[in-house]
Structure formats: structure tokens, C-alpha cells
Amino acid sequence: MRGLDPSVDTTGETEGAECPYCGSTDTEREHPKGPSLCRSMHFCNACEQPFEKFE
């Protein structure tokens, strides 16, 4: 059994996903579900870019 990922809380919400553009962790989840179950949409507050996070 694998250990829990510290970036995921018990509800499955990703906290502080790293922005692929600037590296900031000041990000917010915009939509809990993306085009598939393993993708979600996030927004970076530092560089103001949207990005997809793969779970």
C-alpha cells in the first residue's frame, strides 16, 4: 500500500498545486473535475495563468 500524498487532503482536494509556468504554490482549484477524472483545472494567483493538474 502506498503512502498518502501530502498535497492531497482527506477529501481529495489538491492544496497548493505547483504552477507549471512560474512554480508558485499560491494556486486555487477552479473546477474539481476536468475533461477526465484524473485532471482538474487550477488558477495561479501569482502569474494569473490557468493550468491543468494531473492527479
Side-chain angles (χ1 to χ4, degrees), residues 10-49:
T10 57
T11 61
E13 295 287 322
T14 305
E15 304 242 348
E18 186 174 327
C19 174
Y21 301 105
C22 71
S24 173
T25 55
D26 181 17
T27 61
E28 298 175 10
R29 181 180 280 200
E30 287 189 326
H31 303 287
K33 294 190 173 127
S36 68
L37 293 176
C38 64
R39 293 167 28 184
S40 58
M41 294 301 298
H42 293 260
F43 182 79
C44 178
N45 294 315
C47 69
E48 300 181 348
Q49 294 292 321

